[in-house]
Amino acid sequence: MQSAERWRVVMGGTALGAALAVLAAYLGEVRGTVPLLLALLLGGGVAGAFPLTRRMLQAVAGALAVLLALCLLTPVLRGPLAALTLAQPPVRADAIIVLGGGVQCGARTLESSSLTRLLRGLELWRAGYAPVLTVSEQSGLLGPPNCVKLSELERAQVRALYPTGGPEVLTLPNVTTTRDEAARVRDLARERGWRRVLLVTSPSHSRRAARLFAAQGVNVVSVPAPETRFDTALLLPADRLSALRVLLYEGLARVKAGRTAQQVAAPHP
């Protein structure tokens, strides 16, 4: 192979690897720093520069093209999304657990999922299902060091809506994962004698979250908030692409949880 042709092949493979890295970051919702994302791009580029790994990248690209076409052109993801959702009728309970969603650190505002979960929790409180609401304070592992706390924004939102006579609001401190939130609620339930709580989160997160709370011995009824990131009818390609991101994220979360459980169960020398 001539040097010019070899260079063209290497550059094409590098571009393919970098493009797949960008796609992985988008679809997998990689929430990392700029150096981490740069390393992902460089890793994909290096993999595309060598014949064996380049052929592997080409095979992956072909499979992804078929998958994306199927997801974008048809509502095939409706079934998998429904399997992630656990929606139960609300009942009287001791507390309403509003799980953390996200926060926009620069704008110092709630992400749509956080706001929708909070409003759903307040709706349940207004209907008289429980007198207490919990909000989550994210740990320093999430977001920049100076990022505003999710719990502060949610408390401010509750005060703005109900200057007087609002619900009792408790904070779950220093949480990184849903498992942390479940452990904090477990401790509160023991301390306060809670027998049952209503669990409010996004629909695609609801079944996994309920399972994590049950594993901590917390009796939960899952009453998810409406989905705001996409139309669950999946009528448009944009909605289907957003749904694919959610499904991949939840799938990766389950893989991570399974590995963590295996590590905890493994005997230590």
Side-chain angles (χ1 to χ4, degrees):
M1 182 183 296
Q2 297 180 353
S3 59
E5 178 67 14
R6 183 182 298 108
W7 180 249
R8 184 187 66 80
V9 171
V10 169
M11 289 302 296
T14 301
L16 175 62
L20 287 176
V22 172
L23 184 62
Y26 175 75
L27 291 178
E29 296 193 40
V30 176
R31 300 172 183 176
T33 61
V34 170
L36 176 61
L37 295 178
L38 181 59
L40 186 61
L41 285 172
L42 290 176
V46 169
F50 297 94
L52 176 60
T53 50
R54 181 166 60 246
R55 287 193 293 270
M56 293 173 62
L57 288 177
Q58 290 170 344
V60 170
L64 280 176
V66 173
L67 173 64
L68 286 173
L70 181 63
C71 294
L72 288 174
L73 298 177
T74 71
V76 68
L77 298 179
R78 287 177 183 169
L81 280 174
L84 296 179
T85 303
L86 177 61
Q88 300 170 303
V91 296
R92 290 295 300 271
D94 299 297
I96 300 163
I97 311 302
V98 178
L99 296 187
V103 59
Q104 296 174 340
C105 298
R108 299 178 68 85
T109 58
L110 296 171
E111 287 187 2
S112 62
S113 60
S114 295
L115 182 58
T116 304
R117 295 177 189 186
L118 179 61
L119 293 179
R120 176 58 169 153
L122 290 172
E123 176 186 303
L124 293 167
W125 167 76
R126 287 197 308 270
Y129 285 108
V132 180
L133 209 72
T134 74
V135 295
S136 297
E137 174 197 73
Q138 78 272 27
S139 74
L141 298 176
L142 300 176
N146 60 345
C147 186
V148 63
K149 295 301 182 184
L150 174 63
S151 55
E152 294 178 10
L153 294 177
E154 291 183 317
R155 283 178 170 275
Q157 185 72 41
V158 172
R159 287 195 299 270
L161 292 173
Y162 302 98
T164 60
E168 179 185 3
V169 180
L170 304 177
T171 298
L172 308 180
N174 193 37
V175 301
T176 303
T177 65
T178 307
R179 191 183 302 274
D180 293 338
E181 292 173 305
R184 303 291 187 276
V185 172
R186 176 202 61 201
D187 295 341
L188 278 174
R190 292 173 179 173
E191 176 186 332
R192 292 185 165 233
W194 292 347
R195 295 181 178 275
R196 179 167 56 201
V197 300
L198 302 181
L199 187 61
V200 180
T201 186
S202 299
S204 59
H205 182 231
S206 57
R207 188 173 297 276
R208 177 166 65 92
R211 187 179 297 118
L212 288 171
F213 273 73
Q216 293 289 342
V218 181
N219 181 19
V220 299
V221 175
S222 177
V223 282
E227 180 60 74
T228 58
R229 294 166 292 183
F230 56 89
D231 184 348
T232 54
L234 302 184
L235 300 178
L236 299 176
D239 295 319
R240 296 165 186 169
L241 185 59
S242 296
L244 178 59
R245 292 185 68 192
V246 168
L247 281 166
L248 289 175
Y249 178 83
E250 285 295 318
L252 290 173
R254 282 163 169 75
V255 170
K256 180 181 177 182
R259 293 186 61 183
T260 301
Q262 288 177 354
Q263 291 172 355
V264 172
H268 297 279

